[in-house]
Amino acid sequence: MLKGVDLDASPGEVVHVAGPNGTGKTTLLRVLAGLLPAEGGEVYWRGRSIRRDRDEYNAELAYLGHENALKGDLTAFENLHYGVGVRRDLSGTEIESTLDHLGILRCRDLPARVLSAGQRRRLAMSRILLLGATLWILDEPFTNLDVAGVGLFSTLIGDHAAAGGMALLAAHQGLDIPGIQPRLAELD
């Protein structure tokens, strides 16, 4: 149970939510993403309660949880086409460019269920990029990634913040985000 948590983020900022297992990192991120109701207190976006302006908030939010939220029988391309397509128009070229940037273009026509855990994580992060959201909420984004994948994701997070985006993320390891010094929000 979370009590007394006060957290904010500004454009260009990365906030690292840290703490031992069981301290509520995932719960906090799920509340901030609007997936769980806050038992007390309020979550605000641009000065307005997300309960009152849910559509506006959701339009500017991209969430990556522990699970990758992929459809196993859909190909990598189809997962992005349908998963992002409900929020915005995007071209096949845009999808392919993003898959290439994440190093999984060769997986374009493979069902998500046959991809490795690291490839599925890269596919899920492709969705985050394609959504074009201002606020990224990422729960253990480096799970199942090799060293190159951790470096790539760190760079993507840094680029997002450098472009004026915000990222709130939970991670057990320290963060090395190029060009950005993450602000630590430690739960205990």
Side-chain angles (χ1 to χ4, degrees), residues 137-164:
I137 298 179
L138 311 171
D139 196 358
E140 297 294 345
F142 307 111
T143 299
N144 296 318
L145 294 177
D146 56 18
V147 171
V150 170
L152 174 62
F153 276 35
S154 296
T155 298
L156 294 172
I157 293 165
D159 290 348
H160 177 66

Side-chain angles (χ1 to χ4, degrees), residues 24-176:
K25 297 180 299 296
T26 294
T27 299
L28 175 61
L29 293 184
R30 290 179 58 80
V31 167
L32 293 174
L35 298 172
L36 288 175
E39 290 181 13
E42 198 73 44
V43 177
Y44 291 94
W45 176 249
R46 301 192 186 279
R48 299 174 67 160
S49 168
I50 67 168
R51 285 192 271 180
R52 293 193 185 112
D53 252 340
R54 183 167 297 283
D55 290 342
E56 180 183 327
Y57 181 61
N58 287 339
E60 294 191 75
L61 168 71
Y63 175 77
L64 176 61
H66 284 265
E67 300 294 326
N68 292 315
L70 302 171
K71 302 292 184 193
D73 289 333
L74 295 182
T75 66
F77 184 92
E78 291 167 337
N79 264 284
L80 297 175
H81 175 75
Y82 296 116
V84 176
V86 299
R87 291 245 315 248
R88 70 175 200 83
D89 290 330
L90 70 162
S91 69
T93 302
E94 197 175 357
I95 293 171
E96 289 176 351
S97 175
T98 302
L99 289 171
D100 189 38
H101 188 63
L102 273 287
I104 55 171
L105 180 58
R106 69 186 178 283
C107 302
R108 179 197 189 284
D109 297 317
L110 295 175
R113 66 180 150 67
V114 305
L115 302 179
S116 73
Q119 289 169 329
R120 286 191 303 270
R121 200 60 171 173
R122 287 171 181 248
L123 179 56
M125 190 63 172
S126 296
R127 184 180 60 243
I128 299 300
L129 291 174
L130 285 168
L131 284 170
T134 300
L135 175 60
W136 291 1
I137 298 179
L138 311 171
D139 196 358
E140 297 294 345
F142 307 111
T143 299
N144 296 318
L145 294 177
D146 56 18
V147 171
V150 170
L152 174 62
F153 276 35
S154 296
T155 298
L156 294 172
I157 293 165
D159 290 348
H160 177 66
M166 295 170 259
L168 302 172
L169 62 105
H172 285 287
Q173 67 271 31
L175 300 179
D176 183 17

